[in-house]
Amino acid sequence: MSTKIPTTVITGFLGAGKTTLVRHMLSHAKGKRIALIINEFGDIGVDKSILAGCGDETCREEDMIELANGCICCTVADDFIPTMQALLEREDRPDHIVIETSGLALPQPLIRAFNWPQIKAQVTVDGVVTVVDAAALAEGRFASDEAAVDAQRQADDMLDHETPLGELFEDQLVAADLVVLNKTDLVGVEALGQVENRVRAEMRPGTGIVRAANGHVDVAALLGLGVGSEDDLEGRESHHELEHDGEGHEHDDFDSFSLRMPRIAGKDALLKTIEETIRTHDVLRLKGFAAIDGAPARLAIQAVGPRLTAYFDRPWADGETRETALVVIGESPLDRAAITASLERAAIAAAA
Ligand SMILES: Nc1nc2c(ncn2[C@@H]2O[C@H](COP(=O)(O)OP(=O)(O)OP(=O)(O)O)[C@@H](O)[C@H]2O)c(=O)[nH]1
């Protein structure tokens, strides 16, 4: 009987920096063979595409498995377990498995899945790493009006008055064996101290916390925690499990869709339109790639709330379809038609 393969679960809210952390980890893996399961939204495969473009020999495409169902926690039986089984049947088994959940996933159902007999004999959860966006927290993006939320809670005995963002944030934190307080480069020292205190208040006692910028955390601190989280579930329960006695949960609070557009003439016009669209429609996360007319490389686009960045990440390959493909995620209901029209209108205007 071989020893169990350690598996690290990386969770954290939309855009917190999970893929950035994984990319850093893969390029500092020092020969360790890591298989990666990436859970994301839509059929565009942004995270996998970014990681595969890493160019490092540890970022092997055959070791990256995509689960594009949007929420690994909702499809454990249908998607996750068969994927793990297929991975475990491979002749060249990995030294370590890393699962990057989507930003809206609850880690709890995933951790519990490691107790399924088909999986338990062969793998164990080495640890749950929760990445926190220190900048978003400092800007109050998880409870935009905390005073109003508190007043509402006090006015009613029912506890169900947290914002969906706030609840999800707490559920991801309470599941952690290690918290990475990321994006410290965007936050001043004093605000960072306040953010850390807030995060510590939500964590289970004894959970470690490390500060980081761009996911630069020593791989030795991330992999090899040796917790066996699937056997240590107490105190990790999500809001939903606590309120509904362990029943399943829903993600009706959030919505996502992807859209494709033809080539776009102007980078600046596109970015301006994206910024306006995000502001007007309260988009939480927008990411993807754009084909700018005449540019030999594709433009990677990353927006986390109002913060937008764009960079040419790699040349278009021969025969590759040059198109613009974006994933949009926000709180429900997202006005898909209006958001699409807003983005598309800009593309046409830019091309005119
Ligand atoms: N300034 C700064 N930007 C960061 C840091 N970490 C990540 N980013 C940027 O934040 C954006 C989102 O990062 P990702 O790593 O894709 O975040 P994610 O958590 O994988 O996102 P989802 O999978 O969509 O939830 C990208 O533009 C990153 O370059 C950081 O420490 N500092």
Side-chain angles (χ1 to χ4, degrees):
M1 176 66 211
S2 57
T3 52
K4 293 185 179 187
I5 301 176
T7 300
T8 298
V9 174
I10 311 235
T11 181
F13 192 66
L14 294 167
K18 297 177 291 297
T19 307
T20 308
L21 178 90
V22 167
R23 184 167 179 163
H24 180 264
M25 185 182 73
L26 290 179
S27 53
H28 293 79
K30 301 198 178 92
K32 201 187 269 270
R33 177 146 196 196
I34 297 174
L36 185 62
I37 297 179
I38 313 166
N39 171 220
E40 59 177 327
F41 290 93
D43 56 351
I44 294 174
V46 180
D47 295 354
K48 183 177 174 199
S49 188
I50 286 174
L51 289 166
C54 158
D56 202 283
E57 63 162 90
T58 46
C59 306
R60 276 179 299 215
E61 201 146 351
E62 69 265 28
D63 287 339
M64 296 182 193
I65 304 159
E66 214 175 354
L67 294 180
N69 52 48
C71 176
I72 201 169
C73 53
C74 300
T75 54
V76 162
D78 294 339
D79 273 353
F80 174 65
I81 300 282
T83 300
M84 279 299 265
Q85 282 180 305
L87 184 59
L88 295 168
E89 277 162 17
R90 283 187 184 179
E91 260 173 39
D92 52 346
R93 284 158 55 111
D95 302 319
H96 202 107
I97 299 170
V98 171
I99 304 173
E100 181 190 337
T101 70
S102 75
L104 296 179
L106 290 181
Q108 286 82 356
L110 179 62
I111 306 169
R112 267 204 308 275
F114 283 81
N115 283 314
W116 287 38
Q118 307 93 304
I119 303 293
K120 194 169 177 75
Q122 301 188 64
V123 281
T124 181
V125 181
D126 181 50
V128 178
V129 176
T130 301
V131 184
V132 173
D133 184 336
L137 209 57
E139 289 157 14
R141 268 193 264 145
F142 291 107
S144 47
D145 187 349
E146 291 188 44
V149 173
D150 277 349
Q152 198 185 14
R153 291 182 95 183
Q154 279 163 15
D156 193 326
D157 287 344
M158 303 251 312
L159 269 177
D160 211 11
H161 284 306
E162 297 239 29
T163 63
L165 296 189
E167 270 194 9
L168 185 61
F169 174 72
E170 288 170 14
D171 288 344
Q172 291 176 340
L173 270 183
V174 85
D177 294 304
L178 177 72
V179 172
V180 174
L181 193 57
N182 193 38
K183 305 201 186 179
T184 53
D185 55 311
L186 298 176
V187 183
V189 179
E190 201 178 318
L192 193 57
Q194 288 166 4
V195 164
E196 184 166 330
N197 287 341
R198 175 158 172 216
V199 169
R200 281 190 188 279
E202 305 293 347
M203 291 158 41
R204 287 175 303 132
T207 308
I209 186 165
V210 288
R211 293 182 177 190
N214 293 304
H216 287 205
V217 179
D218 191 336
V219 176
L222 286 176
L223 307 184
L225 293 175
V227 178
S229 318
E230 73 278 18
D231 292 324
D232 174 26
L233 292 168
E234 211 182 312
R236 293 184 200 250
E237 294 86 358
S238 67
H239 281 81
H240 200 90
E241 288 165 314
L242 291 171
E243 286 156 24
H244 300 276
D245 216 12
E247 289 294 303
H249 64 283
E250 292 174 5
H251 281 269
D252 295 354
D253 294 329
F254 300 97
D255 188 14
S256 78
F257 68 98
S258 42
L259 81 152
R260 293 171 194 275
M261 294 190 279
R263 275 187 246 173
I264 285 155
K267 174 184 162 189
D268 293 345
L270 174 68
L271 298 186
K272 188 161 171 279
T273 309
I274 290 176
E275 264 173 6
E276 283 169 9
T277 309
I278 287 174
R279 222 177 313 118
T280 309
H281 296 280
D282 276 336
V283 171
L284 290 170
R285 183 87 169 101
L286 185 151
K287 59 181 177 176
F289 303 101
I292 307 293
D293 218 19
R298 67 178 187 179
L299 184 71
I301 293 172
Q302 289 277 359
V304 183
R307 187 167 284 117
L308 175 65
T309 53
Y311 56 98
F312 289 102
D313 83 318
R314 67 154 173 79
W316 292 105
D318 284 344
E320 188 176 5
T321 309
R322 297 190 181 195
E323 64 171 359
T324 298
L326 302 171
V327 181
V328 182
I329 309 170
E331 284 189 77
S332 283
L334 267 185
D335 190 342
R336 295 183 182 205
I339 294 171
T340 303
S342 170
L343 292 167
E344 277 178 349
R345 201 168 40 235
I348 293 160

